[in-house]
Amino acid sequence: KETIMKRNEGTIDRAVRVGAGLGLIGLHVSGVLGAWAWIGLVPLLTGLAGTCPLYSIFGISTCRIAS
């Protein structure tokens, strides 16, 4: 069984990404930051997916278990 995108983010990395993404989006929704805060979707989605395209390009992995 082949996977299209291998998991390359560890648990802490994923948690930080999800937290940062939600934080940025929350700051936009509350009116503190402008539309640029929607960039928080990138870390949110990569954290939820468990894979980062840039990590794949550079051969980086913070995941302890090889998938």
Side-chain angles (χ1 to χ4, degrees):
K1 176 180 170 184
E2 283 189 46
T3 58
I4 295 171
M5 298 288 287
K6 291 186 178 185
R7 184 170 172 198
N8 59 10
E9 295 176 1
T11 305
I12 295 172
D13 190 3
R14 292 179 73 185
V16 169
R17 287 170 181 265
V18 170
L22 289 174
L24 283 168
I25 294 167
L27 287 172
H28 172 71
V29 171
S30 66
V32 175
L33 291 177
W36 277 101
W38 286 110
I39 198 75
L41 284 173
V42 174
L44 176 63
L45 294 175
T46 59
L48 291 174
T51 185
C52 175
L54 284 177
Y55 278 11
S56 297
I57 290 170
F58 293 110
I60 300 170
S61 178
T62 58
C63 184
R64 288 184 179 188
I65 301 170
S67 57

